[in-house]
Amino acid sequence: MRRPAAIVPGLLAVFCALPAAADLRVASYNAELSRKGPGLLLRDILSGKDDQVAAVIEVIAAARPDILALQGVDFDLDGLALAALADLLRARDLDYPHRFALSPNTGLRSGLDLDGDGRTGGPGDAQGFGYFAGQDGMAILSRFPILTEEVRDFSALLWRDLPGATLPETDGAPFPSPEAQAVQRLSTTGHWDVPVDLGGTVLHLLTFHATPPVFDGPEDRNGLRNRDELRLWTLYLDGALGMVPPEAPFVILGDANLDPEDGDGHSAAMRAFLADPRLTDPLPESAGAAAAPQTGANAAQRGVPARDTAEWDDNSPGNLRVDYVLPSAAIPVTGAGVFWPADGPLAETVRTASRHRLVWADLALP
């Protein structure tokens, strides 16, 4: 299902991870391509001079996923930035004729004080943190047709309407206000169920990008929201959101911003999620993460370092596992990994591209 990539000296070990021709490679990547203003990402892509854009293209072209869920990519109404990215990848013999994106909650103005700082109109007062509507969105790139008419978008679901939601309080009162909680959406960026037609099999991509569980106060607003953003998928699979959940196969993939063992946030929620018998955790690892210095916050980690997917400052919060590709249990998984070489020509490229690493799984689907 994939044309072979050319192998150059120093990359043999990377390409040895490529799947057999009959497997489907599904990946998630927070490319952190967001910019500080509308149109700036498109400008940087078209310039041909942006080092980060070039590095992101190198990473994707080397990993060669058949289906890629992107986070951290600015949305524009006509999909110009996404199309420009696809053009660069096509030049690397990696064609994604099918693309999908919806306007995210990030940067969507609320008109209220949602972050409790006593002011309105700031990036923290948007439905998801953002300086402009569409900033830091999500997208799907696919070699296979996307059934756009069958997409389910949960992004408008109010946080308070999620069954069993835990909303923040201070002194027993809603934080930051009852008015804010009456309009606050659950999804920081979005939650989508995107069906992809593989030709005889439909694969549902359950994709999201949750808030970091930090940058708040004792009310734990972001921590609680992060946990409930993860819970949405459990409730969806339970049939508790008022609609029939997808039949297998499906894959939950995206940036959960939550490590099952380390860092801030409700790690127990991620451990319980990964233990759901309806899911397979392929436990992807990388040589780069395994070789990372165990200093600062990393030295106190309880998790397996080789499974980390993001490289942050060693003092706060250190390297963490926050990006996931989790197939439904009925799908045979033939391989998985985190694209993070320990050395060689791509080691610096992945650092230039993003603090996050591309995570992939190879699926044996009919």
Side-chain angles (χ1 to χ4, degrees):
M1 301 177 80
R2 177 182 298 100
R3 288 186 289 267
I7 298 179
V8 299
L11 294 185
L12 181 60
V14 172
F15 287 110
C16 282
L18 289 175
D23 292 345
L24 180 83
R25 174 161 289 187
V26 179
S28 179
Y29 187 28
N30 184 346
E32 293 191 308
L33 284 171
S34 182
R35 299 298 188 257
K36 286 291 183 75
L40 298 184
L41 176 59
L42 178 61
R43 177 203 66 186
D44 290 349
I45 295 170
L46 295 178
S47 74
K49 300 177 181 178
D50 189 283
D51 290 341
Q52 188 211 0
V53 170
V56 167
I57 295 299
E58 287 296 318
V59 168
I60 298 172
R64 304 186 70 78
D66 295 299
I67 299 172
L68 174 62
L70 279 173
Q71 305 89 43
V73 56
D74 295 338
F75 173 86
D76 61 80
L77 187 60
D78 295 318
L80 298 178
L82 194 59
L85 277 176
D87 286 344
L88 293 180
L89 290 165
R90 188 178 303 111
R92 301 297 304 275
D93 196 30
L94 187 59
D95 192 14
Y96 293 115
H98 308 285
R99 302 181 289 273
F100 180 81
L102 294 172
S103 183
N105 285 340
T106 42
L108 181 62
R109 294 292 177 249
S110 69
L112 296 174
D113 175 15
L114 294 189
D115 59 6
D117 67 355
R119 299 184 297 271
T120 61
D125 299 316
Q127 289 288 354
F129 187 95
Y131 290 92
F132 62 91
Q135 185 180 28
D136 204 26
M138 309 190 305
I140 302 289
L141 298 175
S142 175
R143 292 184 54 236
F144 302 92
I146 296 171
L147 305 178
T148 56
E149 297 301 316
E150 299 178 24
V151 170
R152 289 176 171 176
D153 179 15
F154 300 94
S155 305
L157 176 69
L158 296 181
W159 186 0
R160 69 178 186 179
D161 290 341
L162 184 78
T166 304
L167 275 68
E169 295 182 348
T170 54
D171 299 325
F175 177 89
S177 68
E179 294 78 14
Q181 290 193 0
V183 303
Q184 176 69 73
R185 296 181 176 188
L186 171 64
S187 302
T188 299
T189 312
H191 284 77
W192 309 336
D193 176 350
V194 181
V196 177
D197 186 356
L198 304 179
T201 299
V202 173
L203 178 67
H204 287 258
L205 310 176
L206 311 186
T207 189
F208 72 127
H209 183 187
T211 183
V214 291
F215 312 120
D216 54 15
E219 83 288 340
D220 195 24
R221 173 178 178 256
N222 292 334
L224 295 173
R225 188 181 187 186
N226 174 277
R227 182 175 65 183
D228 275 349
E229 289 192 76
L230 186 65
R231 285 185 58 246
L232 181 145
W233 291 130
T234 299
L235 293 168
Y236 183 40
L237 296 179
D238 289 344
L241 296 183
M243 60 187 71
V244 177
E247 296 181 357
F250 63 85
V251 180
I252 297 177
L253 71 171
D255 181 355
N257 262 317
L258 188 61
D259 187 292
E261 301 292 342
D262 300 302
D264 294 306
H266 297 267
S267 293
M270 180 53 76
R271 291 196 297 274
F273 189 74
L274 294 175
D276 189 319
R278 295 170 293 191
L279 305 177
T280 295
D281 181 4
L283 300 173
E285 298 184 355
S286 73
Q294 298 302 301
T295 60
N298 288 334
Q301 285 190 348
R302 296 178 295 274
V304 178
R307 295 177 189 160
D308 290 336
T309 67
E311 184 180 30
W312 285 303
D313 183 87
D314 285 352
N315 294 318
S316 179
N319 299 346
L320 297 174
R321 183 188 184 193
V322 295
D323 306 276
Y324 298 88
V325 176
L326 304 170
S328 54
I331 303 177
V333 178
T334 59
V338 180
F339 199 90
W340 189 347
D343 50 34
L346 279 178
E348 187 57 36
T349 300
V350 297
R351 291 188 174 90
T352 300
S354 174
R355 294 171 297 175
H356 293 258
R357 305 295 185 256
L358 184 147
V359 181
W360 55 269
D362 294 334
L363 313 179
L365 288 164

